[in-house]
Amino acid sequence: MRELLKIMKERALLELENTNKLEELEQLRIKFLGKKGELTQVLRGMGSLSSEERPIVGQVANEVRVLIENGIEKVKEKLKEESKNIKLNAEILDISMPGTQIEKGHRHPLIGVMEELENIFMSMGFSIVQGPEVETVYNNFDALNSPENHPSRDPSDTFYITDDILLRTHTSPVQIRTMKENKPPLRIVSAGRTFRFDDVDDTHSPMFHQLEGLVVDKNITMANLKHTIDMFIRELFGSQMKTRFRPHYFPFTEPSAEVDVSCLKCMGKGCEACNGTGWSMELLGCGMVHPNVLRNCGIDPEIYSGFAFGLGVDRIAMVKYGINNIRLLFENDMRFLNQF
């Protein structure tokens, strides 16, 4: 059997010398060292040897295995190096040729506006808070003092997942979560996607973006709200901008108002863009936080008061850039996006 191992070793080394491809090398490994290889067959026959011969033959077999394995590894490295050199020699690199220009991306106008809004409010001392887009009915409606017969609760207006779970219709649930988890004073803004059953037209989309703010502290009044909104509008559009507060109704604020801003085209003089009124479209809604909302979040309305406001990021982007169709913000037409 030792003579058989010697012959196998010499034959394996000879075949290794004549191997020129990695595929052939793998076949050679299987032939000699595989589960059904020649060395394995020899080792299976060791059971017929005497107890004196068995360790001697086992040692020789192990030496042959190591020798073949090392030989295979050396040939493999040699073949890989040769293959690499062939590829390098075949490649032609002309360093005088102009390089390929890498086209850089940029912020989507919506994301850019959202970040700009957040930065303005952070400079005013607000903190940025995020929340889930899939919400509970309680956080989205009940805790916000929305009556059970409010139209927004209807399945024709809201995307329900179950009877108790829905896609948030505004970012106000983030305010509820914040008031439940933190004690006043609070000064936060939250921005993100919201969802409503709206027919798509020039100014409406079933998916849109909102940014909402909340301030809760002692002795907060409507004057604080008006001053904050005025500062924000002037910081966003310029110091010459004027605001107009119109009474409105929201179930989660009392009193409530909608805010208009000067027409960006004529700056309040009156033009075709604003139908001669001097005012742009309604920009945001706001009001003093309803006492029931504070109670639902464990805050005593006899001690604390607050104000909240909400605006459509999409609408801000449309006013700022003079975009007349909200569809353009979501169609991913590069001809449109490259303008920004």
Side-chain angles (χ1 to χ4, degrees):
M1 189 170 286
R2 279 185 288 178
E3 185 65 26
L4 183 60
L5 287 170
K6 180 181 178 182
I7 295 172
M8 183 191 305
K9 178 187 69 174
E10 293 175 352
R11 189 154 48 84
L13 293 176
L14 180 62
E15 292 190 25
L16 278 172
E17 290 180 3
N18 297 323
T19 301
N20 298 316
K21 296 181 180 179
L22 289 172
E23 295 82 0
E24 295 176 359
L25 190 64
E26 177 61 16
Q27 292 299 322
L28 189 146
R29 185 193 66 79
I30 295 172
K31 176 181 178 181
F32 288 101
L33 304 179
K35 290 183 178 181
K36 298 181 181 180
E38 294 184 16
L39 184 59
T40 304
Q41 298 300 325
V42 171
L43 294 175
R44 287 176 180 173
M46 289 179 61
S48 61
L49 299 176
S50 64
S51 57
E52 292 82 7
E53 291 180 308
R54 198 173 299 143
I56 298 173
V57 173
Q59 182 179 355
V60 174
N62 189 55
E63 292 174 354
V64 171
R65 175 184 291 277
V66 172
L67 186 66
I68 295 175
E69 287 177 345
N70 291 341
I72 289 174
E73 193 62 31
K74 288 180 181 179
V75 174
K76 182 185 291 186
E77 292 300 321
K78 175 187 173 185
L79 293 176
K80 284 184 178 180
E81 186 67 22
E82 290 177 352
S83 177
K84 183 177 72 172
N85 290 333
I86 292 173
K87 288 182 179 180
L88 289 175
N89 292 330
E91 291 179 352
I92 299 175
L93 180 62
D94 186 353
I95 60 174
S96 66
M97 292 180 65
T100 302
Q101 184 177 0
I102 299 175
E103 186 174 347
K104 294 182 179 180
H106 56 81
R107 287 282 191 273
H108 188 282
L110 272 178
I111 302 302
V113 168
M114 192 179 301
E115 290 180 350
E116 182 181 358
L117 298 177
E118 290 178 340
N119 289 335
I120 291 174
F121 283 110
M122 281 194 291
S123 70
M124 296 167 64
F126 286 76
S127 299
I128 307 299
V129 181
Q130 301 294 332
E133 295 177 354
V134 178
E135 263 293 358
T136 62
V137 170
Y138 180 81
N139 284 343
N140 196 84
F141 290 127
D142 297 336
L144 287 163
N145 199 44
S146 294
E148 293 187 1
N149 62 349
H150 195 279
S152 62
R153 286 178 176 262
D154 196 279
S156 63
D157 282 346
T158 297
F159 294 99
Y160 284 89
I161 298 173
T162 68
D163 291 340
D164 300 316
I165 304 295
L166 46 71
L167 297 181
R168 65 183 184 185
T169 60
H170 43 192
T171 51
S172 299
V174 180
Q175 300 176 11
I176 297 298
R177 290 174 176 269
T178 302
M179 287 190 284
K180 285 181 178 179
E181 297 169 2
N182 302 275
K183 295 181 179 180
L186 300 171
R187 191 182 297 176
I188 66 159
V189 290
S190 58
R193 293 188 300 179
T194 55
F195 308 86
R196 295 179 190 175
F197 253 129
D198 275 335
D199 293 329
V200 179
D201 58 28
D202 291 355
T203 58
H204 294 86
S205 170
M207 187 278 290
F208 55 99
H209 298 76
Q210 273 193 343
L211 182 143
E212 297 193 22
L214 171 73
V215 173
V216 178
D217 203 347
K218 296 178 181 178
N219 303 318
I220 298 296
T221 68
M222 194 75 178
N224 300 123
L225 167 61
K226 190 174 187 302
H227 178 68
T228 300
I229 297 301
D230 285 343
M231 283 184 60
F232 161 67
I233 294 297
R234 293 191 178 104
E235 187 68 27
L236 181 64
F237 293 115
S239 59
Q240 73 280 14
M241 294 297 291
K242 295 181 180 180
T243 57
R244 179 175 65 179
F245 287 70
R246 293 181 286 102
H248 195 68
Y249 166 75
F250 299 112
F252 31 81
T253 54
E254 185 182 50
S256 305
E258 286 187 339
V259 181
D260 302 329
V261 296
S262 303
C263 175
L264 291 176
K265 188 173 183 179
C266 66
M267 300 309 299
K269 295 179 180 179
C271 65
E272 293 182 359
C274 60
N275 294 322
T277 64
W279 296 97
S280 182
M281 68 178 80
E282 176 258 320
L283 201 65
L284 59 88
C286 61
M288 300 300 294
V289 179
H290 198 289
N292 289 344
V293 176
L294 295 176
R295 291 191 190 96
N296 291 337
C297 298
I299 298 175
D300 189 348
E302 299 298 325
I303 300 175
Y304 294 101
S305 58
F307 65 78
F309 55 87
L311 53 92
V313 179
D314 317 68
R315 183 166 293 184
I316 294 287
M318 293 174 70
V319 171
K320 182 172 183 177
Y321 295 117
I323 300 170
N324 59 8
N325 195 321
I326 195 173
R327 299 180 183 91
L328 295 170
L329 295 172
F330 304 114
E331 290 178 345
N332 295 325
D333 189 330
M334 295 305 296
R335 294 170 299 179
F336 168 75
L337 295 177
N338 283 335
Q339 300 177 67
F340 307 92

